[in-house]
Amino acid sequence: MQSILENIAKHVSLTSDEEALFLSKTETKQLKAKTILLSSGEIAYCTYFVNSGILRSFNINDNIIEHVLHFACEGWWIGDMYSYISEKPGNLFIEVLEDAEVVVISKENHQELYKEIPKLERFFRILAENSLVSHQERLMDNLSLSAEERFEKFCSKYPTLIQKIPQKQIASYIGVTPEFFSKMKARLLKK
Amino acid sequence: MQSILENIAKHVSLTSDEEALFLSKTETKQLKAKTILLSSGEIAYCTYFVNSGILRSFNINDNIIEHVLHFACEGWWIGDMYSYISEKPGNLFIEVLEDAEVVVISKENHQELYKEIPKLERFFRILAENSLVSHQERLMDNLSLSAEERFEKFCSKYPTLIQKIPQKQIASYIGVTPEFFSKMKARLLKK
DNA sequence: TGAAGCACTTAATGTAGATTAAGAAATTAT
DNA sequence: ATAATTTCTTAATCTACATTAAGTGCTTCA
């Protein structure tokens, strides 16, 4: 299991005092599957780093259709960035898909950490830039690839996730209905 | 016209010495419409801040179809973030749509600026976070809204752009063919 | 243990948007 | 000015995917 300190150490090096300070401003929580950490309309006061388990963020369109923005498993971050930075109500839900342990950082503590450990600005800059790149790629894929191609990309990018999460959620991430996804999968298996 | 220093001052405050240092590491360039600043397959060694004019970034699918990732006019930044941070060949083109003046920052100078003015980490973190939020929103819109709704959002978000750029480029940004866009526009005008 | 609720499948039918093609209008180049 | 190129429009046809509906096999939990 990759710890949050190891995650940070990939990009900036903290002294052990700084590491201790960082940990003192965070809280580790055990979460049961199906827990909703954030609902649409709420303000996101926290961001999460996943130690183990799986979470997802999604929105709900016209009170009916869910669209998955992001899956997060071991070593990933998840949150509602819009609401977190604007401090306005967001439209994302965050849900635990598989029993999880997460490190919780509140916005308040996060700001204090920036003051006391300016190096963290660099770490979160790099985190945001990498996330931006992968969102840009996914956006372009949605504009230019077929559902089948998007699924293949998903498989090669997140090979471990495929066995673990219900396929209707993969369908939602890819951007197709569960029915079409099922048909598409059958077609791919014939090949 | 908003200068790059004013853009930075929105989020962090630099001393006048720091401002002078910043400017000394940048270069201002006049660009003619249709200039290609970056082509697919090249490494992006620079990022651009737009003083005036309009630029766009796009990719080309199967050597045929263009998809617009981003338009940038006065006060916006543009570049190929993937290539810029990974220093690998990217797949974006960057093109001048309307005669422009841009501030060019090379990756090398950018890194030196981070060393000499650590506050800039904060500025570019905030820039990346805001950009991430808007990409996330666009991604969710592409998953859940119809072409017509995406067009309406585009109009309310970039009202000034609509008159200035060829509508086939708006179609490409929205994610529809120029033919369908034309039909859709005619339908909207009837209402 | 069994029934209630999900997740998945299959199939018929419907539709938003793509493709193809051709002409009109606007820009750009000579 | 006029030819050449590009952009925009219109219309017919096509298709990838959505919708609706019905049935099957899991899981979950009284």
Side-chain angles (χ1 to χ4, degrees):
Chain A
M1 190 177 89
Q2 191 199 67
S3 77
I4 195 166
L5 294 178
E6 283 162 356
N7 191 257
I8 293 172
K10 281 183 182 173
H11 300 297
V12 303
S13 48
L14 302 186
T15 66
S16 46
D17 278 0
E18 286 167 339
E19 289 190 338
L21 177 62
F22 186 92
L23 290 181
S24 77
K25 300 276 188 187
T26 68
E27 191 185 346
T28 300
K29 276 194 180 169
Q30 309 297 324
L31 302 168
K32 282 274 157 213
K34 297 191 182 173
T35 308
I36 301 285
L37 288 177
L38 182 75
S39 290
S40 174
E42 296 177 357
I43 295 177
Y45 293 110
C46 300
T47 304
Y48 307 91
F49 174 84
V50 182
N51 276 337
S52 64
I54 307 176
L55 319 220
R56 67 164 176 147
S57 59
F58 62 99
N59 75 9
I60 297 185
N61 186 238
D62 298 328
N63 299 316
I64 307 176
I65 301 165
E66 293 181 7
H67 289 280
V68 173
L69 174 59
H70 187 57
F71 294 112
C73 44
E74 200 183 316
W76 290 74
W77 293 78
I78 193 165
D80 179 343
M81 181 67 100
Y82 164 74
S83 175
Y84 191 69
I85 68 181
S86 69
E87 301 187 31
K88 291 181 197 161
N91 49 31
L92 291 183
F93 293 79
I94 297 178
E95 181 198 21
V96 181
L97 286 184
E98 207 178 60
D99 289 3
E101 182 183 278
V102 300
V103 179
V104 186
I105 305 185
S106 70
K107 173 132 185 185
E108 210 184 331
N109 285 342
H110 201 155
Q111 296 301 327
E112 284 173 25
L113 282 167
Y114 281 139
K115 268 186 205 149
E116 302 187 45
I117 314 175
K119 266 178 286 183
L120 287 176
E121 298 274 2
R122 182 183 184 82
F123 172 70
F124 285 102
R125 169 180 67 77
I126 293 170
L127 206 63
E129 284 175 353
N130 288 336
S131 183
L132 176 55
V133 164
S134 76
H135 279 82
Q136 285 185 347
E137 187 185 346
R138 186 167 162 215
L139 187 52
M140 295 311 262
D141 286 350
N142 279 328
L143 289 178
S144 59
L145 303 182
S146 67
E148 214 170 295
E149 290 167 318
R150 275 176 275 145
F151 177 50
E152 280 162 6
K153 267 208 148 182
F154 181 86
C155 291
S156 55
K157 214 165 174 184
Y158 306 103
T160 55
L161 271 180
I162 303 160
Q163 290 79 299
K164 291 186 185 170
I165 60 184
Q167 76 180 33
K168 60 177 280 200
Q169 312 242 16
I170 301 176
S172 165
Y173 182 95
I174 301 294
V176 296
T177 59
E179 294 85 355
F180 183 75
F181 187 86
S182 174
K183 198 161 83 177
M184 185 175 80
K185 208 184 69 176
R187 197 168 59 211
L188 283 170
L189 285 174
K190 273 189 197 158
K191 293 183 184 173
Chain B
M1 189 179 89
Q2 191 200 67
S3 77
I4 195 167
L5 294 178
E6 283 161 356
N7 191 258
I8 293 172
K10 281 183 183 172
H11 300 296
V12 302
S13 49
L14 301 186
T15 66
S16 46
D17 277 1
E18 286 168 338
E19 289 190 336
L21 176 63
F22 186 91
L23 291 181
S24 77
K25 300 278 187 186
T26 69
E27 190 185 348
T28 300
K29 276 194 181 169
Q30 310 297 325
L31 302 169
K32 283 274 157 213
K34 297 193 180 172
T35 307
I36 302 284
L37 288 176
L38 182 74
S39 290
S40 174
E42 294 178 357
I43 296 176
Y45 293 109
C46 301
T47 304
Y48 307 92
F49 174 84
V50 181
N51 276 337
S52 63
I54 307 177
L55 316 221
R56 68 165 176 146
S57 60
F58 62 99
N59 75 8
I60 297 185
N61 187 240
D62 298 327
N63 299 316
I64 306 176
I65 302 166
E66 293 180 6
H67 290 279
V68 173
L69 174 59
H70 186 58
F71 293 113
C73 43
E74 201 184 316
W76 291 74
W77 293 78
I78 193 166
D80 179 342
M81 180 67 98
Y82 164 74
S83 175
Y84 191 68
I85 70 182
S86 69
E87 302 187 31
K88 291 181 198 161
N91 49 29
L92 292 183
F93 293 80
I94 297 178
E95 181 197 24
V96 181
L97 286 183
E98 209 178 58
D99 289 3
E101 183 182 277
V102 299
V103 179
V104 187
I105 304 184
S106 70
K107 172 130 187 190
E108 208 184 332
N109 284 342
H110 201 156
Q111 295 302 327
E112 285 174 23
L113 282 167
Y114 281 138
K115 268 187 206 152
E116 302 187 44
I117 315 175
K119 266 178 286 185
L120 287 176
E121 298 274 2
R122 181 181 185 84
F123 172 70
F124 285 102
R125 169 180 67 80
I126 292 169
L127 205 64
E129 285 175 354
N130 288 335
S131 183
L132 177 55
V133 165
S134 75
H135 278 82
Q136 284 185 346
E137 187 185 345
R138 189 170 159 211
L139 187 52
M140 295 310 262
D141 287 350
N142 278 330
L143 289 177
S144 60
L145 303 181
S146 67
E148 215 169 295
E149 291 168 318
R150 275 176 274 145
F151 177 49
E152 280 160 7
K153 267 208 148 181
F154 181 86
C155 290
S156 55
K157 213 164 174 186
Y158 307 102
T160 54
L161 269 181
I162 304 159
Q163 289 78 299
K164 289 184 184 169
I165 59 182
Q167 77 179 31
K168 61 176 280 200
Q169 311 244 14
I170 300 177
S172 165
Y173 182 95
I174 301 295
V176 296
T177 59
E179 294 83 357
F180 182 76
F181 186 86
S182 175
K183 196 162 86 179
M184 184 175 80
K185 208 184 71 177
R187 196 167 60 211
L188 284 170
L189 284 174
K190 272 189 198 157
K191 294 185 183 170

